[in-house]
């Protein structure tokens, strides 16, 4: 392992003391982790706050056996130590990274293949807000959903981190993007970000609205974060040969489906979770992002929509803010 001579031995982190509400997020002092084969150690500048962090805190999304028990799936910072097999040129680089957990801390290890360079167009806070949503949206909307230029996609949760990223990526690659939101204010915000249409699901039936917007044809893709009874409604929004991709189950894990409707319309249903996927698979997504998306980031054409920034010690407040549901865009913890 190659490391900086200035590297400290202990760090402050935020741990989950027990499953529960935001108050179970507690500052702790831990040893600085050491990078293993193929990993780098990042001195964290900022860490993104995401819905999976909340679900993990509640005890409903346990980390994989080989992952850090600390929450935090994306960070930005500086590489300060290298595991075996990592090229020395990584030392000192400013990176943002998808992590396997452990982002709520002053230092975090992650496979080098999950790191991307931080361009001058981004602040470190903005950089920390990109990886988890970019990996998720690219891997599901484009890799799994086979989105192509000119197609129309329906995205639920239009002002969430996933939703805002889907809007921006979709518009960069020529998609028509329709989103659902929980208020007229959020619908306005979504359209300002770039959505072609925004539906207030509390006052409008999104199935009927999709029919109106598409002249009865439907959309090619639904990116679904709700599941539950939304799935049957989503399928009514799809045109023939449409694709339905589930990435979260906020509305429940079970759905009742009309299989004849699926067969007659040749629909494809799929889904994924990001965290359990292999380092090799995540590295492939990172490579695709670096080739196809990062030039747009470097040019300043793609930046995350930022909501609020909290100090690391205020992680509980950040989680309470996310659960209140009023945020638009990404919530970030500032570590340095």
């Amino acid at each position: 392992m190659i490391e900086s001579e200035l590297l400290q031995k202990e760090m402050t982190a935020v741990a989950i003391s027990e499953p529960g509400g935001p108050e179970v997020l507690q500052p702790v002092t831990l040893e600085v982790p050491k990078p293993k084969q193929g990993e780098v150690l990042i001195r964290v500048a900022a860490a993104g706050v995401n819905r999976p962090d909340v679900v993990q805190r509640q005890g409903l999304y346990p980390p994989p056996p080989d992952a850090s028990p600390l929450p935090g799936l994306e960070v930005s910072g500086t590489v300060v130590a290298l595991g075996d097999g990592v090229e020395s040129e990584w030392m000192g680089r400013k990176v943002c990274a998808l992590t396997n957990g452990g982002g709520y801390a002053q230092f975090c290890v992650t496979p080098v293949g999950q790191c991307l360079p931080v361009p001058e167009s981004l602040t470190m806070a903005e950089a920390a807000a990109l990886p988890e949503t970019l990996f998720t949206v690219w891997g599901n909307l484009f890799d799994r959903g086979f989105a192509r230029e000119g197609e129309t996609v329906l995205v639920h949760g239009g002002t969430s981190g996933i939703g805002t990223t889907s809007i921006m990526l979709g518009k960069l690659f020529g998609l028509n993007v329709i989103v659902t939101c929980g208020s007229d204010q959020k619908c306005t915000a979504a359209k300002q970000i770039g959505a072609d249409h925004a539906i207030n699901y509390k006052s409008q039936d999104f199935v009927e609205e999709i029919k109106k917007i598409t002249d009865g044809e439907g959309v090619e893709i639904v990116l679904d974060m709700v599941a539950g009874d939304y799935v049957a409604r989503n399928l009514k929004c799809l045109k023939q040969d449409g694709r339905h991709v589930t990435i979260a189950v906020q509305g429940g894990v079970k759905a009742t489906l009309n299989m004849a409707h699926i067969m007659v319309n040749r629909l494809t249903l799929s889904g994924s979770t990001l965290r359990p996927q292999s380092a090799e698979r995540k590295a492939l997504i990172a490579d695709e992002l670096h080739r196809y998306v990062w030039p747009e980031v470097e040019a300043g054409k793609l930046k995350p929509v930022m909501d609020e920034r909290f100090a690391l010690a205020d992680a509980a407040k950040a989680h309470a803010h996310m659960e209140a549901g009023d945020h638009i865009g990404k919530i970030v913890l500032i570590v340095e």
Side-chain angles (χ1 to χ4, degrees):
M1 182 180 73
I2 303 174
E3 65 179 43
S4 166
E5 294 179 359
L6 300 177
L7 190 60
Q8 61 197 66
K9 302 302 180 184
E10 291 185 337
M11 67 177 185
T12 299
V14 171
I16 301 169
S17 60
E18 60 181 343
E23 70 280 356
V24 305
L25 294 172
Q26 297 291 329
V28 295
T29 300
L30 300 173
E31 289 187 7
V32 173
K34 295 183 179 180
K36 300 176 183 177
Q37 176 82 27
E39 293 182 336
V40 296
L41 177 68
I42 299 170
R43 185 191 298 273
V44 178
V49 177
N50 294 284
R51 184 65 59 175
D53 302 339
V54 172
V55 182
Q56 179 181 339
R57 190 206 73 223
Q58 294 169 337
L60 303 175
Y61 189 41
D66 59 345
S68 169
L70 299 176
L73 297 174
E74 59 182 349
V75 299
S76 66
T78 304
V79 175
V80 293
L82 311 177
D84 291 341
V86 179
E87 296 178 358
S88 59
E89 63 189 35
W90 282 94
M91 182 64 80
R93 281 190 181 180
K94 293 188 183 300
V95 298
C96 58
L98 182 75
T99 77
N100 300 331
Y104 290 16
Q106 289 180 302
F107 294 88
C108 179
V109 293
T110 195
V112 68
Q114 294 168 207
C115 295
L116 291 162
V118 177
E120 292 183 1
S121 59
L122 296 178
T123 67
M124 295 304 276
E126 289 172 332
L130 277 178
E132 202 273 344
T133 52
L134 275 182
F135 275 72
T136 298
V137 173
W138 185 266
N140 287 282
L141 184 56
F142 293 92
D143 285 350
R144 191 171 295 277
F146 303 106
R148 296 185 292 272
E149 184 177 0
E151 291 189 324
T152 301
V153 57
L154 168 63
V155 181
H156 293 299
T159 54
S160 67
I162 293 292
T164 55
T165 301
S166 297
I167 292 170
M168 293 184 293
L169 267 185
K171 299 314 296 179
L172 278 176
F173 289 91
L175 301 181
N176 301 306
V177 183
I178 305 171
V179 301
T180 64
C181 304
S183 70
D184 290 340
Q185 176 189 8
K186 288 188 174 183
C187 285
T188 298
K191 287 190 282 189
Q192 289 173 342
I193 293 165
D196 296 281
H197 300 276
I199 302 166
N200 184 340
Y201 67 83
K202 291 184 178 179
S203 61
Q204 298 171 293
D205 181 341
F206 71 81
V207 177
E208 293 303 316
E209 291 302 312
I210 290 295
K211 290 180 182 178
K212 294 176 185 177
I213 293 169
T214 64
D215 295 326
E217 291 190 4
V219 303
E220 280 85 2
I221 309 166
V222 173
L223 187 63
D224 174 42
M225 293 182 280
V226 184
D229 60 8
Y230 259 49
V231 178
R233 298 172 68 193
N234 290 339
L235 298 187
K236 293 179 181 179
C237 297
L238 286 172
K239 62 170 56 175
Q240 285 193 331
D241 296 303
R243 290 90 73 192
H244 182 282
V245 185
T246 297
I247 60 172
V249 290
Q250 296 178 25
V253 299
K254 295 183 179 180
T256 300
L257 305 178
N258 182 335
M259 297 307 295
H261 176 79
I262 294 171
M263 294 163 60
V264 168
N265 290 283
R266 302 184 298 276
L267 305 181
T268 300
L269 279 68
S270 66
S272 74
T273 54
L274 181 60
R275 191 171 189 181
Q277 294 186 46
S278 68
E280 291 77 13
R281 170 61 184 157
K282 293 173 185 175
L284 285 174
I285 298 175
D287 182 63
E288 290 179 353
L289 289 172
H290 193 258
R291 283 187 287 148
Y292 301 120
V293 178
W294 227 241
E296 308 292 339
V297 176
E298 292 172 338
K301 296 179 181 179
L302 177 63
K303 285 189 174 186
V305 176
M306 302 296 285
D307 188 76
E308 285 200 37
R309 297 165 172 83
F310 294 83
L312 177 64
D314 291 329
K317 293 180 181 179
H319 275 226
H321 180 60
M322 171 167 277
E323 291 185 90
D326 296 327
H327 63 288
I328 295 174
K330 291 300 293 282
I331 301 168
V332 169
L333 300 176
I334 302 301
V335 179
E336 286 188 344

